[in-house]
Amino acid sequence: MDAHLVDFISLLLRWLHVIAGIAWIGSSFYFIWLDNSLEPPAPGSDNAKKGVAGELWAVHGGGFYNPQKYAVAPAALPERLHWFKWEAYTTWLSGTALLVVVYWLRAQSMMLDVSVASLSAGAAVGIGAGSMLGAWVIYDGLCRSPLGRHDALLGAVVFALLSALAWGLHQAYGGRAAFMHVGAAIGTIMAANVFFVIIPGQKKMVEAMRAGGLPDPIYGLRGKQRSVHNNYFTLPVLFIMISNHYALTYSHRHAWAVLVLMSAAGVSIRHFFNRRHQGVLAWQYPACAALLLGIVVWWTAPRVLALPPVQGPVTLDRVRTIVGQRCLGCHSAVPTFPGLAQPPAGVTLQTPDGLVKNAQRIYQQVVVTRMMPLGNVTQMTDEERAVLAAWVTAGTPPK
């Protein structure tokens, strides 16, 4: 029952995380598009005299809209202001809770890989939490340094440091856990941008106006810079969110580099659309993204590593013995592995029919990607992998 409740909590958190993430990323896309699409008012017009820096007309859902952006602020504050912050906070809180439930509470099975590093569960969790906090502290320091005045250079340095983080986490964890913690670090940067920079700056501007003064435009500039950064982070984070369904990415021998290439493609695609909204068709960016994605497709193509020759006959009984020792803790009708209430992906391997039905899955996960057993916690040997490979390639003989 405890494992079942944990699974259901995980389901609810994942659902909330996706809903909040859609709201946050959707607003990011919209406001960056809006900012890049504004047209300055005619000189001497009423809007220009009011301090409007740009406006546009749009039609949506059967209605007409006329959003305007002020160079600094309007002459008087409206009675009601809409703040965009809870989308960010809810996304980060639900995502972090999900990280705790799925990975940190199950660190032994979900994070540790003895073939990568010998860590305790506590050390693994500590590294994960430290990477999230450290990523924000370093990033924020760079933005506040003189480097922060050079957007392109700052972006390149941040990307390089996040690439280094991806490499470092892959020296500590299995591929899937490393991917998720890179995503958690980026998500922490994004949420912290809202919580520590964007919203406080906007509050200072509002407070200045209510006190009868003029808001300092530096807060608007800082908020805009961090908002743009968040916009570029979105596609890499979205890729990481769905990557755990595709072992071909996180199981690669150089999974950290696969993540870097996919992230670079996402940034290139995002930059194309941001430039497009400014009226510039910069086709070199989607072309670059296509090239990077093509490299990933080629690089992640299945390549079965050499296995030792099989000694003796390959029989179904021999296969069942290996599976019973290495796989049934998770892949049985009632799993005995701690923290599992149901077999992962509904795959059960207790019966001959279950083995034959899932033979190609076994081959892909055990032989090609070697992602199973997860973290090789049951210490399956290469000789045993070779037996399973021989059984599948021979057409899963029933005896």
Side-chain angles (χ1 to χ4, degrees):
M1 178 58 71
D2 289 345
H4 172 69
L5 289 176
V6 169
D7 276 352
F8 201 80
I9 290 170
S10 171
L11 168 64
L12 295 179
L13 286 172
R14 196 180 301 270
W15 193 16
L16 175 61
H17 187 55
V18 170
I19 293 169
I22 289 171
W24 186 14
I25 292 173
S27 65
S28 171
F29 283 9
Y30 172 73
F31 278 105
I32 294 297
W33 167 82
L34 180 62
D35 220 37
N36 289 334
S37 302
L38 294 172
E39 297 181 358
S45 64
D46 290 342
N47 281 341
K49 293 175 182 177
K50 290 192 303 182
V52 172
E55 65 175 336
L56 63 76
W57 283 89
V59 60
H60 177 75
F64 293 90
Y65 299 82
N66 179 214
Q68 299 173 342
K69 180 179 179 179
Y70 286 79
V72 179
L77 281 177
E79 185 175 336
R80 292 185 61 191
L81 273 175
H82 295 277
W83 297 75
F84 291 83
K85 57 182 180 179
W86 284 108
E87 303 93 334
Y89 301 161
T90 306
T91 302
W92 186 84
L93 289 170
S94 60
T96 301
L98 193 60
L99 187 72
V100 171
V101 170
V102 175
Y103 286 90
W104 292 5
L105 295 181
R106 301 173 178 175
Q108 195 68 38
S109 59
M110 296 299 294
M111 297 175 68
L112 303 185
D113 188 334
V114 294
S115 68
V116 175
S118 297
L119 294 173
S120 67
V125 171
I127 291 171
S131 68
M132 294 166 66
L133 177 61
W136 161 248
V137 171
I138 293 172
Y139 162 83
D140 185 56
L142 290 173
C143 289
R144 295 177 186 275
S145 74
L147 182 64
R149 295 193 291 269
H150 306 279
D151 287 335
L153 183 57
L154 173 63
V157 170
V158 169
F159 188 87
L161 290 175
L162 289 173
S163 299
L165 176 64
W167 177 85
L169 289 174
H170 276 83
Q171 311 312 305
Y173 303 149
R176 181 157 60 177
F179 269 42
M180 289 300 112
H181 281 81
V182 173
I186 298 174
T188 298
I189 290 173
M190 295 172 70
N193 273 338
V194 177
F195 187 79
F196 291 113
V197 179
I198 297 173
I199 295 300
Q202 291 174 171
K203 286 182 177 179
K204 282 182 168 48
M205 296 176 76
V206 170
E207 290 168 2
M209 292 194 65
R210 285 178 175 162
L214 291 176
D216 189 340
I218 189 62
Y219 297 117
L221 295 174
R222 287 174 182 166
K224 172 67 182 299
Q225 182 188 52
R226 302 300 181 98
S227 180
V228 170
H229 289 180
N230 281 0
N231 184 259
Y232 280 99
F233 284 138
T234 53
L235 295 191
V237 168
L238 284 173
F239 163 71
I240 292 171
M241 286 175 67
I242 64 173
S243 67
N244 63 343
H245 297 287
Y246 299 93
L248 61 91
T249 58
Y250 61 78
S251 67
H252 193 272
R253 182 180 171 190
H254 300 291
W256 70 271
V258 172
L259 176 54
V260 169
L261 290 173
M262 293 295 293
S263 297
V267 169
S268 295
I269 293 168
R270 189 66 246 155
H271 190 58
F272 166 76
F273 281 104
N274 288 343
R275 295 290 288 157
R276 175 69 182 86
H277 300 152
Q278 294 172 330
V280 179
L281 280 175
W283 290 108
Q284 64 269 30
Y285 294 105
C288 176
L291 175 62
L292 292 171
L293 295 174
I295 292 172
V296 172
V297 170
W298 168 79
W299 203 21
T300 57
R303 293 175 178 84
V304 179
L305 297 179
L307 291 170
V310 176
Q311 304 296 326
V314 177
T315 64
L316 179 60
D317 285 342
R318 188 176 179 184
V319 169
R320 292 189 71 184
T321 299
I322 294 171
V323 170
Q325 293 175 343
R326 311 301 185 193
C327 310
L328 289 189
C330 297
H331 291 287
S332 57
V334 182
T336 58
F337 195 87
L340 289 182
Q342 303 290 333
V347 175
T348 58
L349 304 175
Q350 287 174 295
T351 65
D353 286 345
L355 286 169
V356 173
K357 177 182 176 181
N358 293 289
Q360 290 304 318
R361 278 188 168 186
I362 293 171
Y363 187 82
Q364 183 69 20
Q365 297 282 9
V366 174
V367 180
V368 178
T369 68
R370 298 193 176 212
M371 283 306 301
M372 295 295 166
L374 193 61
N376 204 18
V377 66
T378 57
Q379 300 182 348
M380 180 179 284
T381 66
D382 282 353
E383 288 74 16
E384 290 168 337
R385 294 179 194 275
V387 170
L388 296 178
W391 178 71
V392 175
T393 53
T396 63
K399 295 183 180 180

